[in-house]
């Protein structure tokens, strides 16, 4: 993924949260948008995008709009891949990762 591609996906994640905060507060319709948003997040970010399904826990669709799950996932991925603070992809790949004990 390129830096421009990342910021395009970040913008789309923000749009998903804006819809969740506005029209996603309508009961039943909000639950449906949470499901569709989860599918879109999975397509954009992979398995970590499934965290968006946690918004279905709020059956009233009133509280989950105040938690920007999609944006938080996008910011985490940008931080992890080095797009947020100007690290190149090569530097992000060279950084040591925590390995499981042997």
């Amino acid at each position: 993924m390129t830096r421009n591609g990342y910021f395009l996906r970040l913008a789309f994640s923000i749009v998903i949260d804006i819809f969740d905060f506005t029209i996603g507060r309508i009961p039943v319709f909000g639950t449906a948008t949470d499901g569709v948003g989860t599918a879109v997040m999975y397509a954009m970010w992979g398995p970590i995008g499934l965290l968006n399904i946690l918004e279905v826990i709020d059956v009233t669709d009133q509280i989950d709009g105040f938690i920007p799950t999609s944006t938080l996932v996008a910011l985490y991925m940008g931080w992890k891949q080095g797009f947020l603070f100007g690290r190149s992809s090569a530097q992000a790949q060279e950084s040591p990762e925590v390995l499981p004990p042997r």
Side-chain angles (χ1 to χ4, degrees), residues 15-88:
V15 167
I16 289 172
D17 278 332
I18 289 172
F19 277 122
D20 189 36
F21 181 72
T22 55
I23 60 173
R25 295 187 63 181
I26 301 169
V28 179
F29 183 73
T31 305
T33 59
D34 289 339
V36 171
T38 300
V40 171
M41 291 294 293
Y42 179 74
M44 285 194 309
W45 302 112
I48 196 164
L50 294 176
L51 283 175
N52 200 47
I53 199 72
L54 294 175
E55 292 196 353
V56 176
I57 293 172
D58 178 27
V59 294
T60 64
D61 292 324
Q62 300 305 308
I63 299 171
D64 69 347
F66 293 101
I67 303 170
T69 311
S70 301
T71 304
L72 291 173
V73 166
L75 290 174
Y76 170 73
M77 291 301 290
W79 169 78
K80 183 179 175 186
Q81 295 179 359
F83 292 123
L84 287 181
F85 300 112
R87 290 185 346 181
S88 69

